[in-house]
Amino acid sequence: MGRIRILSDQVANQIAAGEVVDRPASVVKELLENSLDAGATRIRVEVEAGGRKLIRIADDGHGMGRDDAMLAFERHATSKIRSSDDLLSISTLGFRGEALPSIASISRLELITRATAEPSGTRVEIAGGKVLSVDEAGAPNGTTLTIRDLFFNTPARRKFLKAESTELSHVTALVTHYALAHPDKHFELHSATHALLIAPPVKHASERIYQIFGKDTLDQLIQLAAERPFDRAGLPEPPPWRRDEDYQPPDPGHLRISGFVSKPALQKLNRNSIYVFVNQRLIRDRLILHAASEAYRNIIPPTSFPVVLMFLEMPPHEVDVNVHPSKTEVRFRQQALVHDFVRDSIRNTLMKARPAADFLAALDSHAHASPSLMPAISPLPGVALPVPDSELSTTTIETAAFDLIPPAPRPEEVKLPFATAPAERAGNGLSVAATATHACEEQILPEADEVSSLNALASLKPLGQLKESFILAVNDEGFWIIDQHVAHERVLFEKILREREVEKIQRQRLLMPMLIDLQPHQMILFASLAGELERNGFEVEPFGPHTIAVKAAPIGLEGRELERMLMEVLEQPGTTAQSENLDTVRTRIAASIACHSAIKINTPLDPIRMEWLLKELARTEHPTSCPHGRPIALRYSWKDIQRAFHRI
Ligand code: ADP
Ligand code: MG
């Protein structure tokens, strides 16, 4: 007898389950997607013991008739595609026909379903892949699936489950994401003891964000909306000699982006707050993550990440979702077009909004340098993100689930920066004033009509300097503090990039060449950067095996600063020019020149110079932050000032 045997369905299903179902959240994902595909408008999820003991999902979708209810548990049984051609344009969330048989093979499952037109419903019971019973049953319209004792017959899997609270926060994150993608539907999530999410249908995504995360988060976000046509290239078309007279080429369709991106003042420690939905499917895609980071380059520090809720819509044939069993990865047909469109849309949005950083928000962004918008764990089952263990163990589920919902009230001191921020640092007890405002807490909430934009910078009147380092200025919007060094840095940075583009950087010859000794790895880096340095106004030549001679440099960069700047550019740990693309090299060099030529702190400025600097800053594209991502201008709004003095 031969050695090879065909596996039983039960084993095959368990193997498939290994790919699709690795934790309770992945069961919830599959079942939620089924409910959405069934056209549900109300979805209620219930879990016990983080989903190990029980997961129940009830929907009001189109349900199933008796035959379908049985067929649904066969391997590769699906109502969503018929032929391989359908794979080229998938418009449902599911299509593999694997989820139900896989889940049924590793749990005790009960399905109760009634198709809209049928007088009665069907109840199916399965345990470990074996059908126990199929009965007629009274049931409301729609489908309810109950999964008990997940992994009861696969102990190896069960061992990998994390603490109940961790599993629950994965489930919570997941339901939250689907709720965000479908604001027009009703979502509920309940644990045995708590209602974790109740989101009735709303018209607009912003209202959903408000429901889930609250006003503070919404205030930190800028709305995103853009569209462009796809290129026609590569769409199947008959050759010219086979076309009819009235042949119409296929419509390549549009790429649309909508959603929200964070103001630069809101920064996160990792990418976990970047949510990307493609045709309402939550995905994790390197290309899009990269485009989002690119959009924020030189606006927030390279070590920080924005909050992004991005919804991309495109014709189904532009995106292949059949890449990964859990359908969390996709492939775009026109990768470069999608990447650049995402990057440019976000960048343009930021450039137009030019949001002014509020003094309170700026203080806040440090105090609350929260790891992510939502649980510091991967929102997608099967996609591991590095999470320090301590983070998980110290966050309880309530706070972990909605990290940013009503942020815990801060100590009163922080809310009254005039009275207490300096006092806090000085350690004396001026917080009496703060306590007094406690009673009118509601008034401290920012109001929606306060739109702050850095366009107001042009109208600023400088009053003077604080410690010869910060420019103090006023206009009708309020009172502003501008960091003179980073402001000038931003002005120079954009000027250098502009002039570099047209090769117009002004250089000055040094009276004596400056000799700088380099380490061997720096010599290598220098060799690869020499061309770019030259285009930035440098004239630098090797001078022996370990030394370079600087003969000319961009105007404004001199002496110690010139040397420091070059050392900085040649001292990127672990960088070789090959690993950086040209754009990164350019901006890195421009940022470094700008930093070392900019007005320093502790430098007295006369009113004319201050005015000049503010005017120049107003003209920059991104006056929000310096090329390294620090804020440039902070504002005490007129409202905050009045509030602080109890005038409103
Ligand atoms: P897929 O979603 O890939 O088609 P599944 O195994 O998840 O495969 O589901 C199999 C089939 O069962 C679906 O194609 C659908 O017809 C039916 N089905 C599953 N869940 C529901 C539901 N909640 N409401 C109505 N039909 C459902
Ligand atoms: Mg499915």
Side-chain angles (χ1 to χ4, degrees):
M1 206 176 118
R3 291 159 178 271
I4 300 179
R5 217 158 306 188
I6 302 231
L7 294 175
S8 74
D9 272 359
Q10 167 64 0
V11 179
N13 284 335
Q14 285 198 359
I15 292 173
E19 282 178 334
V20 186
V21 181
D22 61 350
R23 62 182 349 149
S26 30
V27 173
V28 176
K29 174 176 188 291
E30 292 296 333
L31 300 186
L32 265 184
E33 291 192 346
N34 281 346
S35 295
L36 290 166
D37 282 343
T41 60
R42 285 183 72 93
I43 300 177
R44 181 192 154 97
V45 183
E46 219 178 300
V47 289
E48 279 176 29
R52 292 160 158 225
K53 207 166 135 202
L54 176 128
I55 299 171
R56 177 175 292 135
I57 301 201
D59 70 48
D60 64 351
H62 58 55
M64 285 176 267
R66 187 181 170 100
D67 292 348
D68 279 353
M70 304 276 302
L71 254 185
F73 294 97
E74 295 293 325
R75 236 167 116 59
H76 306 305
T78 179
S79 55
K80 299 172 193 174
I81 57 171
R82 284 176 195 276
S83 68
S84 60
D85 282 354
D86 295 345
L87 276 180
L88 301 178
S89 55
I90 291 170
S91 55
T92 48
L93 293 166
F95 57 89
R96 300 172 60 97
E98 276 185 331
L100 289 187
S102 304
I103 295 167
S105 73
I106 48 167
S107 67
R108 301 183 219 277
L109 178 151
E110 181 198 59
L111 163 74
I112 298 179
T113 184
R114 181 163 74 85
T116 321
E118 311 258 325
S120 66
T122 309
R123 179 168 172 276
V124 179
E125 238 186 323
I126 303 182
K130 283 205 187 64
V131 179
L132 302 183
S133 68
V134 182
D135 309 304
E136 202 176 290
N141 224 358
T143 304
T144 301
L145 266 153
T146 308
I147 317 294
R148 289 198 169 82
D149 305 328
L150 186 63
F151 302 131
F152 79 96
N153 55 351
T154 51
R157 261 296 166 201
R158 205 168 53 229
K159 267 215 294 263
F160 280 103
L161 285 178
K162 297 269 163 36
E164 248 174 53
S165 62
T166 310
E167 296 302 340
L168 181 58
S169 57
H170 280 278
V171 171
T172 312
L174 196 109
V175 178
T176 308
H177 301 146
Y178 279 89
L180 285 169
H182 299 269
D184 55 332
K185 312 215 147 133
H186 180 108
F187 283 86
E188 279 185 34
L189 171 64
H190 299 265
S191 72
T193 49
H194 287 78
L196 297 171
L197 172 83
I198 295 185
V202 284
K203 284 221 179 64
H204 194 262
S206 60
E207 296 167 71
R208 191 41 62 94
I209 292 177
Y210 179 82
Q211 282 176 330
I212 296 180
F213 302 118
K215 182 164 175 24
D216 283 1
T217 299
L218 195 56
D219 284 345
Q220 302 260 42
L221 301 177
I222 313 170
Q223 196 160 348
L224 187 66
E227 80 168 38
R228 64 154 292 169
F230 268 107
D231 290 344
R232 181 163 302 144
L235 282 184
E237 273 191 84
W241 59 90
R242 287 239 215 107
R243 290 177 196 171
D244 298 336
E245 285 273 290
D246 53 354
Y247 173 76
Q248 291 283 332
D251 178 10
H254 281 76
L255 172 57
R256 288 194 187 87
I257 188 170
S258 61
F260 295 85
V261 293
S262 52
K263 297 178 180 172
L266 178 66
Q267 296 169 12
K268 298 288 163 185
L269 300 175
N270 56 38
R271 291 197 174 83
N272 293 1
S273 297
I274 304 180
Y275 301 105
V276 183
F277 297 83
V278 173
N279 295 343
Q280 299 195 310
R281 180 196 302 279
L282 179 66
I283 59 146
R284 210 139 257 264
D285 181 74
R286 280 175 174 277
L287 184 85
I288 304 281
L289 287 178
H290 183 262
S293 307
E294 281 283 287
Y296 279 86
R297 188 141 60 86
N298 298 118
I299 297 179
I300 63 176
T303 47
S304 298
F305 298 90
V307 173
V308 177
L309 294 167
M310 182 197 312
F311 303 100
L312 290 170
E313 299 288 334
M314 60 189 77
H317 62 252
E318 285 293 342
V319 53
D320 183 1
V321 288
N322 188 18
V323 178
H324 190 268
S326 63
K327 299 163 291 178
T328 52
E329 285 170 32
V330 295
R331 213 169 281 135
F332 300 105
R333 201 173 65 85
Q334 305 191 34
Q335 292 210 12
L337 184 148
V338 174
H339 174 274
D340 294 358
F341 174 73
V342 167
R343 182 196 57 202
D344 298 345
S345 310
I346 299 182
R347 193 116 187 143
N348 291 339
T349 302
L350 291 171
M351 211 152 78
K352 263 211 232 104
R354 291 149 69 97
D358 241 40
F359 204 83
L360 303 181
L363 281 179
D364 211 25
S365 81
H366 281 286
H368 284 254
S370 52
S372 67
L373 187 63
M374 278 190 273
I377 45 177
S378 157
L380 296 176
V383 183
L385 291 173
V387 184
D389 264 356
S390 59
E391 228 163 61
L392 285 179
S393 54
T394 53
T395 7
T396 61
I397 178 61
E398 280 82 3
T399 56
F402 309 117
D403 201 345
L404 276 188
I405 350 179
R410 283 172 281 134
E412 288 305 314
E413 298 82 280
V414 191
K415 287 188 176 156
L416 260 189
F418 280 122
T420 55
E424 248 183 349
R425 245 153 261 154
N428 60 27
L430 268 184
S431 48
V432 184
T435 329
T437 52
H438 189 74
C440 16
E441 173 128 41
E442 310 77 51
Q443 294 189 4
I444 294 166
L445 287 172
E447 268 137 50
D449 55 354
E450 261 181 85
V451 190
S452 52
S453 154
L454 285 168
N455 293 330
L457 282 175
S459 63
L460 281 180
K461 290 224 164 3
L463 304 176
Q465 279 172 295
L466 181 65
K467 300 208 188 263
E468 302 187 332
S469 301
F470 298 94
I471 299 173
L472 309 178
V474 287
N475 65 3
D476 278 353
E477 278 194 11
F479 171 65
W480 299 65
I481 304 182
I482 293 105
D483 183 324
Q484 64 193 40
H485 172 68
V486 295
H488 195 208
E489 208 177 340
R490 168 54 72 181
V491 171
L492 289 174
F493 175 69
E494 293 193 9
K495 178 163 174 275
I496 293 164
L497 287 179
R498 253 190 337 264
E499 293 180 347
R500 153 80 185 70
E501 199 66 20
V502 290
E503 313 241 341
K504 274 235 179 89
I505 297 220
Q506 293 181 327
R507 66 172 70 189
Q508 68 190 2
R509 304 219 128 256
L510 307 190
L511 288 177
M512 294 257 293
M514 173 187 275
L515 298 183
I516 303 178
D517 289 334
L518 297 181
Q519 313 258 334
H521 71 275
Q522 292 176 310
M523 283 304 278
I524 297 170
L525 195 52
F526 168 71
S528 61
L529 293 179
E532 187 53 34
L533 285 171
E534 193 183 322
R535 275 186 288 279
N536 273 293
F538 288 91
E539 196 181 317
V540 190
E541 286 166 6
F543 188 81
H546 310 297
T547 311
I548 54 172
V550 187
K551 296 183 168 166
I555 270 184
L557 189 59
E558 317 176 312
R560 283 289 298 149
E561 289 300 329
L562 170 57
E563 183 176 347
R564 281 203 197 126
M565 178 260 147
L566 281 171
M567 290 307 269
E568 185 178 286
V569 167
L570 296 173
E571 196 47 89
Q572 285 287 308
T575 316
T576 60
Q578 285 78 23
S579 69
E580 282 183 305
N581 67 30
L582 191 61
D583 237 25
T584 328
V585 171
R586 260 183 215 170
T587 47
R588 190 157 72 77
I589 291 179
S592 184
I593 298 174
C595 176
H596 290 278
S597 331
I599 298 167
K600 302 270 161 314
I601 56 163
N602 295 316
T603 307
L605 298 178
D606 59 37
I608 296 174
R609 222 157 135 64
M610 287 193 267
E611 230 163 277
W612 168 84
L613 182 56
L614 295 177
K615 290 252 147 49
E616 287 295 306
L617 180 63
R619 285 171 42 193
T620 59
E621 290 189 344
H622 295 285
T624 38
S625 39
C626 82
H628 306 102
R630 279 189 286 165
I632 295 176
L634 300 179
R635 186 195 62 155
Y636 287 112
S637 75
W638 172 230
K639 274 225 170 86
D640 283 342
I641 293 171
Q642 286 175 296
R643 271 185 210 122
F645 284 107
H646 302 213
R647 294 211 167 257
I648 54 172

